[in-house]
Amino acid sequence: MKTVLEQLSGATNLLVFLTWFLLAFIGAFIAVIIRAKFNYKYNTDTPYRWSWSFLLQDNLVNLTIGFFISLIFFRFTSQFLQANLNIWLAFILGGASNELALQFVKFSLSARK
C-alpha cells in the first residue's frame, strides 16, 4: 500500500500531497457554494429551502471529476512543468478544476441532446 501511495504522490511527500488535496477540496467547495448562491436562485429544479444534501448530490459529479483533474495536475506538475506547487495554487486549482469539470458535464449533456 505504501508503494502505491508513493507512486500516486510522485516526487512529493505524501503529507504535502494530501494537504494539496485538502486545499483543492476547500477551493472546489467554495466554488460550489458561490455558484449555488448566484446561479441556483432562479433555477426551477432548486428546492425552496436550503438543503446541503441537495447541494452535494447536485454537484457530486463535478466534485468527482474535479478530484481526478486535481490528482493528475498534482501528480505531473513537478515532472512536466518543472514547477513547485504551493498552497495558494492548490487552492485556486480546486476551484478551477471544479469549474472545468462543470464544463465537461455540460458538454456531455449537450452531446446527448
Side-chain angles (χ1 to χ4, degrees), residues 26-99:
I26 291 170
F29 195 71
I30 289 173
V32 166
I33 295 293
I34 290 171
R35 190 175 342 105
K37 178 73 175 164
F38 294 108
N39 293 345
Y40 291 171
K41 197 174 205 177
Y42 303 108
N43 191 347
T44 58
D45 295 333
T46 304
Y48 181 70
R49 292 175 9 122
W50 177 263
S51 172
W52 284 101
S53 62
F54 173 78
L55 180 72
L56 292 176
Q57 183 181 7
D58 193 43
N59 292 294
L60 185 62
V61 173
N62 300 348
L63 291 172
T64 305
I65 294 172
F67 170 79
F68 287 114
I69 290 171
S70 297
L71 175 70
I72 292 168
F73 187 81
F74 292 156
R75 174 61 176 93
F76 296 112
T77 298
S78 61
Q79 291 179 349
F80 291 122
L81 299 178
Q82 302 299 325
N84 292 330
L85 201 61
N86 58 22
I87 293 173
W88 178 247
L89 187 59
F91 180 75
I92 295 298
L93 177 72
S97 67
N98 188 45
E99 295 302 315

